[in-house]
Amino acid sequence: MDQKQGILYGVGVGPGDPELLTVKAVRVIREADVVAAPNTGTSRAALDIVQDYIAGKPILDCPSPMHRDRAAAKAAYARTAEDICALLERGKTVAMLTLGDPTVYSTYMYVHRLVEEKGYEARVIPGVPSFCAAAAALGTPLCEGKERLLIIPAGYEGLEESLDVEANKVLMKAGRSITELQDLLRRRGELDRASLAANCGMEGETLYPHFADMDDPTGYFSIVIVRDKD
Amino acid sequence: MDQKQGILYGVGVGPGDPELLTVKAVRVIREADVVAAPNTGTSRAALDIVQDYIAGKPILDCPSPMHRDRAAAKAAYARTAEDICALLERGKTVAMLTLGDPTVYSTYMYVHRLVEEKGYEARVIPGVPSFCAAAAALGTPLCEGKERLLIIPAGYEGLEESLDVEANKVLMKAGRSITELQDLLRRRGELDRASLAANCGMEGETLYPHFADMDDPTGYFSIVIVRDKD
């Protein structure tokens, strides 16, 4: 039997609110034969978001270790890519979920490349990035007119140098280091221009239009926005 | 009569494809009493995108001049804010449309602030920014791992200095200057790391995974992605 190969869709499910999936993301998930869901070992956050859209659909569990052992992580993604290719070979359509947008700090693109290299078709369905949802919840623009915007990944290597760049800044996933970040911005005289959204669109959402007002460390999914000097 | 005031929603309608509105954006537009639509004089692009969702709904036309006379533009936004406040005062819910995401280079936030200053409630519904849709269409990540991402607005003042920042870059709305940009990136040895999406998700979408291959100037809504040195 000459069976048509399936297609892999990398689907951005947005920042947390199930209503912030796009119409296209919902359709692609509903039409998929299998939903592939990253699993950090303790949570499947993307899967939780789409529960209302996947009743009864088979789930492919995709181990997605968050620790810093890059070789182990790459091996896990390679196994996921193999599992997905086996489904595509059997003509199945696979929707792999990813938080926010698939092109912004997502491991999905790693799997995407592996699947393409094996000769299968893979398509990206964009989503609302977490920083857009944070700015929306705070009611603050990320960038206007001639302002540039710098997105700084979690970990913050060389953070002072990043903060020196003339631009508005988004600091992704401020977590354990949130009070240190507050201290640093205070020392630099930038704390008054900073705001914070914790667990945006999820349970325990907390908004600080003035980051200076935050007096308890917040969750993993905090986003800090620092406006540039006027 | 003691009437409850209405609420203004700034609704991101995404980059062009009507399927790339969020479920929430569609609901808010459908539930609104009035849809406010920016009008540049020659186009109402955001309104075109949502045609399927607004059958029969009253439209508030919002002149949104694109020329560089900032005083004239501000006066136009102030009139829009006044028109919207008059509706809110009568208890109407207003959904003001904006391309992409409302917090990313949108004039919506200007109207949002004016409406809040007049004592009315305004909420932002995030959307898929054009650069996420461009990266998705090109199948390229915007940022991975420890990479930073710099968003550079149209106009490109101080462009060389922006390109010197150690980060992946998004150049918004490359238009008339697209061949000059190609020349500049070639001179800097960065053209091989650049890709371009023109009219993404709209009629006339054209993708150049290799910006070097582009041999005719493209439309206003072009987005260029330049990956940083490895």
Side-chain angles (χ1 to χ4, degrees):
Chain A
M1 192 177 80
D2 189 18
Q3 193 170 37
K4 202 162 176 293
Q5 284 177 354
I7 298 174
L8 168 63
Y9 292 89
V11 181
V13 302
D17 180 345
E19 266 204 301
L20 288 182
L21 269 81
T22 66
V23 174
K24 191 172 212 165
V26 172
R27 176 175 62 77
V28 167
I29 290 169
R30 286 203 164 125
E31 291 176 0
D33 297 306
V34 178
V35 169
N39 184 345
T40 63
T42 55
S43 84
R44 300 197 290 185
L47 189 64
D48 292 344
I49 294 170
V50 304
Q51 280 305 337
D52 290 352
Y53 306 123
I54 56 162
K57 215 172 269 287
I59 307 298
L60 175 68
D61 198 65
C62 306
S64 189
M66 299 298 279
H67 54 73
R68 280 155 197 252
D69 181 344
R70 288 193 66 188
K74 284 193 171 180
Y77 306 147
R79 276 192 301 274
T80 289
E82 273 174 35
D83 291 346
I84 288 171
C85 288
L87 290 163
L88 300 179
E89 187 60 34
R90 288 163 48 208
K92 304 293 184 191
T93 297
V94 179
M96 184 166 178
L97 310 176
T98 185
L99 289 172
D101 175 79
T103 70
V104 176
Y105 302 119
S106 165
T107 53
Y108 166 74
M109 292 307 294
Y110 192 84
V111 174
H112 180 99
R113 278 188 297 257
L114 291 178
V115 167
E116 282 193 330
E117 279 165 21
K118 287 172 194 284
Y120 297 93
E121 186 173 350
R123 297 182 194 162
V124 180
I125 310 297
V128 174
S130 55
F131 53 80
C132 288
L138 289 161
T140 184
L142 287 169
C143 43
E144 296 185 290
K146 295 174 181 176
E147 296 169 354
R148 302 187 300 188
L149 178 67
L150 183 66
I151 316 290
I152 303 168
Y156 305 160
E157 280 179 36
L159 178 57
E160 292 245 27
E161 186 262 329
S162 288
L163 291 172
D164 285 341
V165 175
E166 211 174 287
N168 296 337
K169 286 109 190 168
V170 167
L171 290 95
M172 302 287 288
K173 289 190 183 171
R176 286 163 297 182
S177 55
I178 197 80
T179 47
E180 287 149 59
L181 179 59
Q182 212 178 22
D183 289 342
L184 175 62
L185 291 172
R186 187 179 290 113
R187 275 204 308 279
R188 292 174 57 96
E190 299 185 286
L191 191 56
D192 289 348
R193 295 196 298 276
S195 51
L196 177 144
N199 302 316
C200 200
M202 290 179 279
E203 216 177 317
E205 175 178 281
T206 316
L207 303 173
Y208 294 98
H210 303 282
F211 185 20
D213 295 340
M214 192 216 70
D215 53 6
D216 70 319
T218 51
Y220 180 64
F221 281 109
S222 295
I223 286 184
V224 174
I225 298 168
V226 185
R227 293 191 59 76
D228 203 19
K229 292 172 284 293
D230 291 323
Chain B
M1 193 178 77
D2 188 18
Q3 194 170 37
K4 201 162 176 293
Q5 284 178 357
I7 297 174
L8 167 63
Y9 291 90
V11 180
V13 302
D17 180 345
E19 266 205 301
L20 288 182
L21 269 80
T22 66
V23 173
K24 190 173 212 162
V26 171
R27 177 176 61 78
V28 166
I29 290 168
R30 285 205 164 122
E31 290 176 1
D33 297 307
V34 177
V35 168
N39 185 344
T40 63
T42 55
S43 84
R44 300 198 291 185
L47 189 63
D48 292 343
I49 293 171
V50 304
Q51 280 306 336
D52 290 351
Y53 306 122
I54 56 162
K57 215 171 269 286
I59 307 297
L60 174 67
D61 197 66
C62 307
S64 188
M66 300 298 279
H67 53 74
R68 281 156 196 254
D69 181 346
R70 289 194 64 188
K74 284 192 171 182
Y77 305 147
R79 276 192 300 274
T80 289
E82 272 175 36
D83 291 346
I84 288 171
C85 288
L87 289 163
L88 300 179
E89 187 59 35
R90 288 164 47 208
K92 304 293 184 192
T93 297
V94 179
M96 183 164 178
L97 311 177
T98 184
L99 289 172
D101 175 79
T103 70
V104 175
Y105 301 119
S106 165
T107 53
Y108 166 75
M109 292 306 295
Y110 192 84
V111 174
H112 180 99
R113 279 188 296 258
L114 291 178
V115 167
E116 282 194 328
E117 280 165 22
K118 288 172 193 283
Y120 297 93
E121 186 172 349
R123 296 182 194 163
V124 180
I125 310 297
V128 174
S130 55
F131 53 80
C132 287
L138 289 161
T140 184
L142 287 169
C143 42
E144 296 185 292
K146 295 174 181 175
E147 295 169 355
R148 301 186 303 187
L149 178 67
L150 183 66
I151 316 289
I152 302 168
Y156 304 160
E157 280 180 36
L159 178 58
E160 292 245 26
E161 186 263 328
S162 288
L163 291 172
D164 285 341
V165 174
E166 212 175 287
N168 296 337
K169 286 109 191 168
V170 166
L171 290 96
M172 300 288 288
K173 288 187 185 174
R176 286 163 298 183
S177 55
I178 197 79
T179 45
E180 287 149 59
L181 179 58
Q182 211 178 22
D183 289 342
L184 174 62
L185 291 171
R186 187 180 290 113
R187 275 204 309 280
R188 293 173 57 95
E190 299 185 284
L191 191 56
D192 289 346
R193 295 196 299 275
S195 51
L196 177 144
N199 302 315
C200 200
M202 291 180 279
E203 216 176 319
E205 174 178 281
T206 316
L207 303 173
Y208 293 99
H210 303 282
F211 185 19
D213 295 339
M214 192 215 70
D215 54 6
D216 68 320
T218 51
Y220 179 64
F221 281 107
S222 293
I223 286 185
V224 174
I225 298 168
V226 185
R227 292 191 59 76
D228 203 19
K229 292 173 284 294
D230 292 322

